Amino acid sequence: MANTETALKECLTSIEGATGVALVDYTSGMALGTMGGSKTFDLNVAAAGNTDVIRSKMRTMEHLGLKGEIEDILITLSNQYHLIRLLKGRGGNGLFLYLVLDQARANLAMARHQLKKIEEDLEV
């Protein structure tokens, strides 16, 4: 089992193209931990904004009567991928991993696979 810091470090070091990662509580919008980012890319601001994305999607699913669960949400920019993975089990309810990838260096399929594996090993 990995703690938060270990899991975040693993995201940055093992996922090709990763430039930032955060563990976020979407009930409050607060980042419980961050790594990476830059002076011009504040992961705490991004974490709060992506909380709104999750809440909006959950409301839409409720209005449509959709019964499935969100695994992840992908936002594709011209030069980045933003991957939001909702955590399941072991205290992960209400939490998500937020991963920023440099599109030129990332393999999206592998990043999704590795993020899922890191989620499974994460002890919150």
Side-chain angles (χ1 to χ4, degrees):
M1 295 293 142
N3 65 23
T4 299
E5 184 177 345
T6 303
L8 295 178
K9 185 180 276 187
E10 186 175 348
C11 286
L12 280 185
T13 59
S14 71
I15 299 177
E16 185 70 30
T19 61
V21 62
L23 177 64
V24 185
D25 177 348
Y26 66 79
T27 58
S28 69
M30 294 191 62
L32 305 177
T34 64
M35 279 194 180
S38 68
K39 290 183 180 183
T40 59
F41 191 88
D42 186 335
L43 283 165
N44 289 299
V45 172
N50 284 302
T51 294
D52 292 336
V53 171
I54 292 172
R55 290 176 184 164
S56 178
K57 186 60 185 172
M58 287 180 163
R59 271 194 312 276
T60 302
M61 289 174 63
E62 185 178 333
H63 292 312
L64 293 171
L66 299 177
K67 302 296 182 207
E69 292 183 354
I70 299 171
E71 284 186 30
D72 57 38
I73 297 171
L74 171 65
I75 300 169
T76 305
L77 305 180
S78 60
N79 61 351
Q80 294 178 333
Y81 296 123
H82 293 233
L83 189 56
I84 301 165
R85 176 143 188 106
L86 278 70
L87 302 187
K88 309 283 186 251
R90 285 199 306 276
N93 195 22
L95 301 178
F96 67 92
L97 282 167
Y98 169 62
L99 180 65
V100 181
L101 299 161
D102 177 343
Q103 195 177 70
R105 297 185 303 126
N107 177 323
L108 185 56
M110 282 302 297
R112 289 182 72 219
H113 175 74
Q114 289 173 286
L115 195 60
K116 182 178 181 179
K117 191 173 179 183
I118 291 167
E119 172 208 352
E120 291 169 356
D121 292 337
L122 179 63
E123 183 72 39
V124 183

